[in-house]
Amino acid sequence: QQQVKQSPQSLIVQKGGISIINCAYENTAFDYFPWYQQFPGKGPALLIAIRPDVSEKKEGRFTISFNKSAKQFSLHIMDSQPGDSATYFCAADFGNEKLTFGTGTRLTIIP
Amino acid sequence: NAGVMQNPRHLVRRRGQEARLRCSPMKGHSHVYWYRQLPEEGLKFMVYLQKENIIDESGMPKERFSAEFPKEGPSILRIQQVVRGDSAAYFCASSLQSNTQYFGPGTRLTVL
């Protein structure tokens, strides 16, 4: 199975709050898990990525948490800002360089 | 350093016509990938190419679709005899050698 399941489908967070998006995968051969941010009419932009040998990676306000035993990983956006409003996609790859994407989460940050 | 470039950005075709989508990878990148995104959906892998070679085309429809990445020039995704169901955003990505893929702005194909 090569599915990556993403939730929630949409998310509304107040400015300054924490946005949390979750993904689950089935194929234990996946060894690379990137998150992409996409604005309307634009291509996906790489935000942050993690490999399964670490449980957490932080870059600025963005953190990936990885739970290998549960086959789950999540994106946390701290101090969420209106400029973070976008669609976020998780993805997974197992070395064949063919990214399998989740279905996306539309994030809206309200004042 | 210019990013991945795609053209045209928007393409309108009538049913039965051909669509040609071009992708110039980032400088120094020799790996190119094509993905398709239907409205309100995630991206679906279509094909992975290196210079003059198709590495993996498992996501590409068997008929009407073809891709190439010649020694010189951009990668081309070609759709023959387009149908309404081909309407989508087509994204190209490139990478150096690692997993990290960088995406272009996409070509939005509309089939009338």
Side-chain angles (χ1 to χ4, degrees):
Chain A
Q1 287 285 1
Q2 296 195 29
Q3 265 191 319
V4 176
K5 295 182 180 178
Q6 184 172 347
S7 63
Q9 194 172 13
S10 62
L11 180 62
I12 298 174
V13 174
Q14 208 144 29
K15 181 182 173 184
I18 303 173
S19 304
I20 303 174
I21 304 170
N22 301 298
C23 283
Y25 62 97
E26 297 171 358
N27 191 335
T28 55
F30 285 138
D31 67 355
Y32 174 71
F33 302 89
W35 283 89
Y36 283 86
Q37 179 189 57
Q38 185 179 31
F39 293 104
K42 305 292 185 185
L46 180 65
L47 201 57
I48 186 172
I50 198 169
R51 294 193 183 274
D53 52 346
V54 298
S55 59
E56 187 175 282
K57 183 175 181 180
K58 184 176 180 179
E59 289 184 3
R61 295 185 295 110
F62 301 92
T63 300
I64 299 180
S65 296
F66 188 86
N67 186 330
K68 189 173 181 178
S69 60
K71 294 187 286 185
Q72 295 175 345
F73 59 110
S74 59
L75 176 69
H76 296 232
I77 306 174
M78 313 299 286
D79 187 27
S80 299
Q81 299 297 313
D84 297 330
S85 296
T87 299
Y88 292 81
F89 293 96
C90 63
D93 177 28
F94 53 84
N96 65 352
E97 308 199 34
K98 180 168 68 178
L99 287 172
T100 300
F101 281 85
T103 49
T105 296
R106 182 174 290 182
L107 174 65
T108 304
I109 308 300
I110 56 174
Chain B
N1 190 11
V4 178
M5 298 173 67
Q6 290 187 248
N7 67 80
R9 296 293 307 279
H10 300 273
L11 183 60
V12 179
R13 286 287 178 266
R14 296 192 180 279
R15 280 180 296 169
Q17 291 184 320
E18 178 180 286
R20 279 186 180 235
L21 289 62
R22 294 175 192 79
C23 169
S24 296
M26 287 179 71
K27 187 176 181 180
H29 286 193
S30 58
H31 302 226
V32 166
Y33 316 81
W34 287 93
Y35 292 82
R36 177 164 63 178
Q37 184 177 36
L38 295 171
E40 306 299 320
E41 291 189 15
L43 286 81
K44 302 281 191 228
F45 169 81
M46 298 181 74
V47 62
Y48 163 35
L49 310 103
Q50 294 180 20
K51 286 284 188 183
E52 300 184 281
N53 285 307
I54 296 174
I55 307 301
D56 183 344
E57 57 181 348
S58 59
M60 200 135 79
K62 294 285 184 280
E63 297 178 354
R64 302 188 298 107
F65 285 73
S66 63
E68 62 177 11
F69 188 18
K71 188 176 180 181
E72 301 290 338
S75 175
I76 306 284
L77 179 67
R78 183 183 177 205
I79 312 172
Q80 295 178 290
Q81 299 174 336
V82 296
V83 300
R84 289 221 173 106
D86 296 333
S87 295
Y90 291 83
F91 290 97
C92 167
S94 74
S95 73
L96 190 54
Q97 278 187 325
S98 66
N99 299 96
T100 305
Q101 295 183 22
Y102 298 91
F103 282 80
T107 293
R108 279 147 187 85
L109 172 65
T110 301
V111 179
L112 302 177

